[in-house]
Amino acid sequence: MNLHREKIIDIAQREVEKTCSKWDWEKQQANLVTVVILSRGKCGLTKAITSYLLAMAVADLLVVITDVIFNRINDLYFPTSFLDYTPLCSLKFVLVYAALDCSVWLTVAFTFDRFVAICCQRLKGKYCTEKAAAVVIGAVSVLLSVKDIRWYFTYQPLYVIDNVPWFCDVKLSFYDSAAWVTFDWVDTILTPCVPFLLILCLNLLTVRHILVASKVRRALRAQNSHDNRSDPEMQNRRKSIILLFTVSGSFMLLWATHVAVFLYWRITQTYSYQTLEDPFYIALQTGYMLQVLSSCTNTYIYAVTQTKFREQLGGMVKRPLVQLFPQRFK
């Protein structure tokens, strides 16, 4: 009876993973469309902003490729493949962590760029340039990739068949070694705790600057009692405030489960689960799902709020329809 029950739960879990994989596959297509539109450079954005958004979109796309396709989909549909060869399996996890870290920290870099552009007019001319953006993007990508190389050494073969190592199993030292425990804490603090605090603080400072500037603008317009027209600049500033808080809020909500699970399993030293109904397992998988989901939200929020981006997107959708039905689109 218990065996039958476990089998049903295992089938249900695989169906959920397949559904999540299909969802992430659709997200990959959205990221790919974003990369294509931004790379054309017709969204009316500065080259620096385009560079950041393009780098964020590419990093998000790499998260989906490495984590969803190489990891989740490979395990579901190809239980034993060359990617399960232990050295490749270990490298796969390095790429997953590097892509995820780059996705998060490039969002921080872009947020800082927007903070400088709005609040630091003297620094804007030197920092908010295409060259500075390229340097920042390159430095962030290289440093985080080097940091995540250490993940390669946390795994050992699960099986050795004919002297060939297969699959990845976390070394026991990862759980009780002071060096590995410290590394795990530092890694979680660097992603996502520090990025969240930085994004929140920078956005709050930016919003404060916008509110102060808006107050001055309203006072100046109030002096002209005959000017009853709506103020487009004030509307743009309101949209900016909503945008900044949306980015901070989505980042916090989507990473909250992952951070809570990490704190729980490190503090209570709960490193395994008994069944697939175990709340710890459910929270763990939910955290992973939301963590991957967070890799596309910020780029989507920043890009889709731009009018010309939406126009370019609409043009891409209409183009094949125009070719198929030219009479209807005259």
Side-chain angles (χ1 to χ4, degrees):
M1 185 68 178
N2 289 335
L3 181 62
H4 179 68
R5 185 165 175 267
E6 288 293 331
K7 186 176 180 180
I8 293 175
I9 294 174
D10 182 62
I11 293 173
Q13 187 238 0
R14 282 187 168 272
E15 289 301 318
V16 170
E17 289 185 351
K18 288 180 181 180
T19 302
C20 292
S21 297
K22 291 178 181 178
W23 184 22
D24 290 326
W25 175 258
E26 293 175 357
K27 185 178 70 175
Q28 182 194 17
Q29 295 174 326
N31 281 335
L32 187 58
V33 170
T34 302
V35 171
V36 172
I37 293 176
L38 290 173
S39 61
R40 296 168 65 183
K42 297 181 179 180
C43 295
L45 302 171
T46 65
K47 292 184 177 180
I49 294 177
T50 302
S51 298
Y52 279 115
L53 290 178
L54 189 58
M56 290 162 61
V58 170
D60 295 343
L61 186 61
L62 290 176
V63 171
V64 177
I65 292 173
T66 56
D67 195 4
V68 178
I69 297 178
F70 288 171
N71 192 18
R72 308 284 177 175
I73 294 179
N74 176 69
D75 291 345
L76 281 171
Y77 296 99
F78 308 98
T80 304
S81 69
F82 71 96
L83 290 175
D84 296 316
Y85 178 55
T86 301
L88 289 179
C89 181
S90 301
L91 179 61
K92 176 178 65 178
F93 284 107
V94 172
L95 295 176
V96 169
Y97 285 110
L100 190 60
D101 285 350
C102 287
S103 175
V104 172
W105 277 95
L106 286 174
T107 303
V108 176
F110 178 65
T111 304
F112 181 73
D113 178 85
R114 294 298 83 209
F115 167 76
V116 172
I118 296 173
C119 304
C120 308
Q121 294 300 314
R122 293 183 180 179
L123 187 59
K124 178 181 177 180
K126 296 181 179 179
Y127 183 79
C128 301
T129 62
E130 184 181 13
K131 183 178 179 180
V135 171
V136 171
I137 292 168
V140 167
S141 302
V142 170
L143 290 175
L144 292 175
S145 298
V146 171
K147 176 188 78 71
D148 288 321
I149 289 176
R150 291 180 289 182
W151 286 107
Y152 184 88
F153 304 101
T154 63
Y155 299 99
Q156 62 185 3
L158 183 62
Y159 304 109
V160 178
I161 304 174
D162 296 331
N163 293 324
V164 178
W166 288 98
F167 302 102
C168 288
D169 187 32
V170 180
K171 295 178 181 178
L172 292 177
S173 59
F174 179 77
Y175 301 108
D176 51 28
S177 169
W180 280 118
V181 171
T182 302
F183 165 70
D184 198 25
W185 275 99
V186 171
D187 185 74
T188 301
I189 290 172
L190 287 177
T191 307
C193 296
V194 172
F196 171 72
L197 291 176
L198 288 175
I199 291 174
L200 182 61
C201 291
L202 290 172
N203 285 347
L204 286 175
L205 290 173
T206 304
V207 169
R208 178 179 176 274
H209 180 87
I210 292 174
L211 291 176
V212 171
S214 299
K215 185 177 180 180
V216 174
R217 185 178 180 85
R218 282 196 301 268
L220 292 175
R221 285 176 60 85
Q223 294 177 4
N224 187 359
S225 58
H226 301 289
D227 190 358
N228 296 320
R229 296 173 298 174
S230 61
D231 189 355
E233 180 64 24
M234 294 297 296
Q235 294 176 356
N236 290 334
R237 290 177 181 181
R238 290 192 196 98
K239 291 180 181 179
S240 298
I241 293 174
I242 294 172
L243 172 63
L244 294 175
F245 275 113
T246 302
V247 170
S248 301
S250 65
F251 188 88
M252 179 178 65
L253 291 174
L254 293 174
W255 276 90
T257 304
H258 174 78
V259 174
V261 170
F262 169 80
L263 294 174
Y264 173 80
W265 75 276
R266 272 304 182 188
I267 293 174
T268 63
Q269 297 184 348
T270 304
Y271 303 129
S272 62
Y273 48 88
Q274 300 299 321
T275 67
L276 298 180
E277 291 181 315
D278 192 320
F280 174 72
Y281 173 79
I282 296 173
L284 182 67
Q285 294 300 320
T286 302
Y288 286 147
M289 181 184 68
L290 295 176
Q291 178 181 322
V292 174
L293 177 61
S294 71
S295 67
C296 79
T297 54
N298 287 340
T299 306
Y300 177 82
I301 291 170
Y302 281 126
V304 176
T305 52
Q306 303 298 319
T307 302
K308 290 191 176 181
F309 180 92
R310 295 196 299 272
E311 292 175 356
Q312 291 291 317
L313 180 60
M316 288 186 64
V317 174
K318 289 180 181 178
R319 192 168 292 113
L321 297 177
V322 172
Q323 297 295 327
L324 293 173
F325 310 102
Q327 298 299 326
R328 294 191 176 185
F329 288 92
K330 283 187 176 181

